[in-house]
Amino acid sequence: MSDLTYKLEVFEGPMDLLLHLISKHKLNINDIPIVELVNQYLDYVRQMEEADFDVAGDFLEMAARLIYIKTVSLLPKHEEAEKLKKELTGELIEYRDCKLMAEKLSKQTDGFGRFVREPQGGWVNYDYERFHEGEELLQAYVNAAGKAMRKLPPPIDSFKVIVAKKFVNVASKVRTVMRKLWSGKKVKFTSLFEGAQSKSDLVATFLAVLELAKTKRITIEGDMVNPEVQMVNNVNEAEIFNEVDTVE
Amino acid sequence: MSKTDNILSALEAMLFAAGDPVGVAKLAEVLELDIETVTKMLGHLSATYDERNSGLMLIKIDNKYQLCTREAYSDSVRKLLEIKKNAPLSNAAFEVLAIVAYNKTVTRSFIEQVRGVDCSGSIASLVQKGLIEEKGRLDLPGRPLIYGTTDRFLRCFSLNSLDDLPDLPKTEEVEKISGNDGQTSLFDDEKENENDNKSEEAEE
Amino acid sequence: MSKTDNILSALEAMLFAAGDPVGVAKLAEVLELDIETVTKMLGHLSATYDERNSGLMLIKIDNKYQLCTREAYSDSVRKLLEIKKNAPLSNAAFEVLAIVAYNKTVTRSFIEQVRGVDCSGSIASLVQKGLIEEKGRLDLPGRPLIYGTTDRFLRCFSLNSLDDLPDLPKTEEVEKISGNDGQTSLFDDEKENENDNKSEEAEE
């Protein structure tokens, strides 16, 4: 088992595994016998699963691809299969080349023993003295953030309000929420927010509820207008707090 | 003799790479020699630099030794470093500068989140060029440094203030859209904004 | 003669102070000499370092010159700077480096296409190690970053330029052979050699 795990760990991904199989079974990389390769590949993936190895999505994706190629090659007209095979062959050769080049590179690392020094500082004035148009900045910003700027996180200015106020800790709210649920009875969702002293308090409470629901400590039932919350049985208090602390 | 030469060369290599002054004791420790021998060797090394009027010289400060350039060549050195500093900004530096300018004050992690890559090199070079500077620390875990642009930045871009920056394309519309993503039934409008901010923060 | 010596010493001082690789043109500009003369002088300088087996050496990368320590003394330098013995690069990192170096400039998605797996970790670590860097953005939707190798990459792999990279495997020959369906026996032989390489590699 450990031997197997060791072998499995070697592969950098599905391409690596394919190359290994091709060489191990002396298959012709330029004319891959696809049926044979699919079987070998799936065998391996199965072994990985048996070894309790976390089979990465990449491997499964490749498995699906191979099976698809095999399927279409069974059709009477299998031009598509030929095309797909050619594509795969091209990729495999490219990756094989990449590995060979990587190996060559890894053998000439003498230069890693040469050390350089930091530029001499101190008495040189490095102040920037060129002039630019504001438009160049705009262009750079759009390049960096994308035209829609959709993925931009909020700038720091928007944190200022929160930072200035007392920050309400989500973990502490988990305790508050659980205290209200400890009896085991169903509780109105909105009642969890009673006694909240600030917006930040409300938000932290809400996040605490989400966190508890995510880790399946509580259940939320009912309609959107008036949901009810209940604690799941047999929940250990210490366990929850540990978990939430690490989440934070 | 060849052994002495080796020691001299090792000392040279070490002092070169260290940059800062190095104590004799430390050098002796690395070479597994006694301090007296190493001191003598450093004297030799210094003498060879002087003899051949090398561009480098060995100086001794507080019992520490440092390689530096010989004063006779300081004009050439200064000229070269000044040519170097006049190199135009790289694309990466430009983008970092734009992100700092448009957001007024940002942390390094904010910049890196926007660009998706490590930006420490660009930030250091912009600080060195005097285009951005540290503006304090954020009151968040880890107390991250925040950066903002400088007066020199305004001058280089002929701006009176950051408000004069060219307008960004339709950011507001985008924000409005992304702000309305559900959850409307739970909280009223006012709370919603903060909700967005909060969850971002909690994820960090 | 003393003039030549002075030039050599000035070059030495400038390269020492610059730290980074410096183009001949800049050195020539400072010294008010033509590039040819300066190139010759740099050759002299390099030779004198080698002759006396100095702790330093002059290397040429991408038509720029840089002073660095000689490999022979790397152990002493490492000990002094308390740098751990080279944590060698992972196989994944070498593969990513190979793809970037042989293609000169590539996007992350290109690298991932070749390797068939996510490479963001390896890329980030190579950027952090200064072996690759961003070289701008591609003019495509999303404006993806493009990466290329750095001067440090050339130095670490003892290359003058990317043109000195080891030759690509002879893909053409392999293809030619594969065009001839009949000659399976010949092809099998060829394949076997390659197989050997392959399996060795895979077992590493």
Side-chain angles (χ1 to χ4, degrees):
Chain A
M1 181 86 105
S2 63
D3 179 45
L4 182 60
T5 313
Y6 168 69
K7 268 188 187 163
L8 293 174
E9 270 174 338
V10 163
F11 297 111
E12 296 282 348
M15 300 290 277
D16 203 11
L17 171 54
L18 282 179
L19 282 181
H20 171 79
L21 292 175
I22 286 169
S23 70
K24 189 177 153 204
H25 299 285
K26 304 208 153 70
L27 305 179
N28 181 351
I29 195 172
N30 290 288
D31 187 15
I32 308 165
I34 196 78
V35 178
E36 215 171 317
L37 191 62
V38 174
N39 292 341
Q40 300 288 351
Y41 186 88
L42 293 181
D43 271 354
Y44 227 98
V45 171
R46 219 165 284 137
Q47 283 178 51
M48 287 164 91
E49 278 169 343
E50 276 165 20
D52 248 349
F53 211 71
D54 194 15
V55 180
D58 301 317
F59 283 93
L60 300 177
E61 204 184 317
M62 179 58 81
R65 185 173 163 192
L66 291 174
I67 292 169
Y68 182 72
I69 300 178
K70 181 183 157 188
T71 316
V72 290
S73 58
L74 295 175
L75 296 172
K77 280 191 175 179
H78 49 262
E79 288 117 20
E80 197 192 349
E82 286 304 314
K83 208 184 108 204
L84 292 174
K85 241 173 80 172
K86 224 176 198 172
E87 240 173 62
L88 182 63
T89 305
E91 285 171 31
L92 282 171
I93 289 176
E94 196 170 28
Y95 184 59
R96 183 196 61 192
D97 288 354
C98 158
K99 284 191 68 105
L100 289 174
M101 296 176 312
E103 204 197 345
K104 284 185 182 179
L105 276 184
S106 70
K107 283 179 181 153
Q108 54 181 79
T109 54
D110 283 354
F112 279 89
R114 297 176 186 162
F115 293 87
V116 295
R117 62 191 299 283
E118 292 294 309
Q120 189 163 294
W123 38 272
V124 179
N125 177 1
Y126 286 99
D127 285 348
Y128 196 66
E129 274 161 5
R130 286 171 184 257
F131 291 95
H132 296 276
E133 296 294 323
E135 289 300 320
E136 290 177 65
L137 270 186
L138 175 61
Q139 192 52 46
Y141 193 71
V142 170
N143 278 345
K147 280 216 173 58
M149 285 170 257
R150 219 171 258 117
K151 284 188 209 142
L152 273 196
I156 284 171
D157 278 350
S158 62
F159 287 122
K160 273 191 182 147
V161 189
I162 301 162
V163 173
K165 284 186 196 166
K166 200 182 141 228
F167 177 71
V168 182
N169 186 296
V170 178
S172 77
K173 280 293 146 192
V174 165
R175 290 186 181 90
T176 316
V177 169
M178 289 309 287
R179 220 166 281 139
K180 286 182 182 177
L181 295 173
W182 214 243
S183 66
K185 284 183 196 153
K186 281 188 183 171
V187 169
K188 279 191 177 172
F189 176 68
T190 47
S191 75
L192 297 175
F193 296 88
E194 282 165 12
Q197 307 206 327
S198 65
K199 285 183 196 168
S200 169
D201 206 346
L202 285 172
V203 172
T205 305
F206 181 67
L207 289 174
V209 171
L210 287 184
E211 191 52 51
L212 286 165
K214 195 178 99 190
T215 55
K216 300 200 171 67
R217 303 305 183 195
I218 61 170
T219 55
I220 306 172
E221 294 168 355
D223 53 26
M224 282 300 285
V225 185
N226 209 358
E228 289 184 322
V229 183
Q230 187 176 28
M231 188 178 70
V232 174
N233 286 336
N234 305 325
V235 171
N236 177 316
E237 190 177 6
E239 198 181 306
I240 291 170
F241 295 154
N242 282 341
E243 208 165 286
V244 171
D245 284 345
T246 55
V247 165
E248 272 248 316
Chain B
M1 151 160 172
S2 108
K3 207 185 153 198
T4 307
D5 279 354
N6 274 343
I7 296 171
L8 288 181
S9 299
L11 283 171
E12 191 176 28
M14 286 192 281
L15 290 167
F16 174 87
D20 300 324
V22 189
V24 192
K26 183 83 194 165
L27 294 168
E29 188 193 322
V30 172
L31 294 172
E32 293 171 10
L33 292 168
D34 57 286
I35 290 181
E36 207 181 323
T37 313
V38 174
T39 311
K40 214 186 275 170
M41 290 291 181
L42 286 165
H44 274 308
L45 185 63
S46 176
T48 63
Y49 285 131
D50 294 345
E51 266 165 38
R52 64 168 192 275
N53 194 24
S54 155
L56 311 181
M57 60 190 284
L58 191 62
I59 54 171
K60 186 181 171 190
I61 323 164
D62 276 350
N63 228 4
K64 288 182 173 179
Y65 289 81
Q66 183 177 25
L67 269 185
C68 64
T69 54
R70 200 172 287 275
E71 273 157 62
Y73 305 103
S74 59
D75 279 350
S76 303
V77 171
R78 191 174 287 130
K79 262 191 220 158
L80 178 77
L81 297 183
E82 264 158 27
I83 294 176
K84 254 179 76 180
K85 94 175 190 194
N86 264 326
L89 294 176
S90 67
N91 282 338
F94 238 109
E95 288 184 12
V96 171
L97 191 56
I99 293 165
V100 178
Y102 275 99
N103 292 288
K104 303 221 163 70
T105 49
V106 291
T107 60
R108 196 184 84 176
S109 71
F110 178 86
I111 299 170
E112 294 182 344
Q113 213 175 325
V114 174
R115 300 203 57 238
V117 283
D118 180 277
C119 297
S120 42
S122 301
I123 293 174
S125 117
L126 288 170
V127 169
Q128 191 186 47
K129 289 176 191 301
L131 292 171
I132 63 174
E133 63 188 1
E134 296 173 7
K135 299 278 192 185
R137 287 179 185 275
L138 206 57
D139 199 6
L140 278 178
R143 301 194 40 82
L145 278 172
I146 47 181
Y147 295 92
T149 54
T150 60
D151 290 342
R152 173 169 293 275
F153 163 80
L154 293 176
R155 252 177 286 138
C156 288
F157 286 85
S158 314
L159 302 166
N160 289 323
S161 82
L162 287 180
D163 299 329
D164 295 344
L165 283 169
D167 286 335
L168 290 174
K170 41 176 179 149
T171 329
E172 280 172 7
E173 287 164 37
V174 176
E175 264 174 22
K176 245 182 231 162
I177 295 161
S178 66
N180 277 334
D181 275 353
Q183 290 183 353
T184 25
S185 57
L186 288 181
F187 295 98
D188 61 13
D189 283 346
E190 209 191 342
K191 279 165 203 157
E192 209 168 301
N193 282 331
E194 203 167 285
N195 212 356
D196 288 345
N197 293 339
K198 251 339 341 172
S199 44
E200 293 274 355
E201 203 175 348
E203 275 160 24
E204 253 171 37
Chain C
M1 150 161 175
S2 109
K3 206 185 155 197
T4 306
D5 279 355
N6 273 342
I7 295 172
L8 288 180
S9 301
L11 284 171
E12 190 176 29
M14 286 193 281
L15 290 167
F16 177 88
D20 302 323
V22 189
V24 194
K26 280 180 190 164
L27 296 168
E29 188 187 329
V30 173
L31 294 173
E32 293 171 10
L33 291 169
D34 57 287
I35 289 180
E36 207 183 323
T37 312
V38 174
T39 309
K40 215 186 275 168
M41 290 290 181
L42 286 165
H44 275 309
L45 185 61
S46 176
T48 63
Y49 285 128
D50 293 346
E51 267 164 36
R52 65 168 191 275
N53 194 24
S54 155
L56 310 182
M57 60 191 285
L58 187 62
I59 54 171
K60 183 184 173 190
I61 40 182
D62 237 358
N63 249 337
K64 288 180 281 190
Y65 290 81
Q66 185 175 31
L67 275 183
C68 66
T69 62
R70 206 171 282 276
E71 291 105 275
Y73 306 104
S74 61
D75 283 346
S76 303
V77 175
R78 246 187 229 117
K79 251 195 226 165
L80 179 75
L81 302 182
E82 286 163 10
I83 301 169
K84 277 175 250 140
K85 181 84 185 167
N86 271 351
L89 297 175
S90 66
N91 284 342
F94 272 120
E95 289 180 19
V96 172
L97 262 186
I99 296 167
V100 177
Y102 279 92
N103 293 285
K104 303 229 159 68
T105 50
V106 291
T107 60
R108 197 184 83 177
S109 69
F110 179 88
I111 300 170
E112 294 184 340
Q113 204 183 318
V114 174
R115 298 197 57 237
V117 284
D118 180 274
C119 300
S120 43
S122 303
I123 293 174
S125 114
L126 289 170
V127 169
Q128 203 229 333
K129 290 190 164 86
L131 294 170
I132 64 174
E133 65 186 356
E134 41 178 293
K135 298 278 190 187
R137 289 178 186 270
L138 212 56
D139 203 5
L140 280 178
R143 315 260 315 139
L145 281 171
I146 47 183
Y147 295 93
T149 55
T150 59
D151 288 340
R152 179 194 286 268
F153 166 81
L154 294 175
R155 189 177 73 242
C156 287
F157 289 93
S158 316
L159 301 166
N160 287 331
S161 79
L162 287 182
D163 299 331
D164 293 345
L165 281 169
D167 285 335
L168 290 170
K170 301 159 203 155
T171 327
E172 279 171 7
E173 286 172 30
V174 178
E175 269 170 17
K176 239 183 238 162
I177 295 159
S178 74
N180 277 336
D181 281 342
Q183 300 185 342
T184 26
S185 60
L186 171 73
F187 184 71
D188 279 350
D189 284 344
E190 289 261 327
K191 272 279 59 90
E192 223 153 303
N193 283 331
E194 219 162 86
N195 282 345
D196 288 342
N197 286 339
K198 251 335 10 161
S199 45
E200 260 169 46
E201 210 172 339
E203 273 156 27
E204 251 168 36

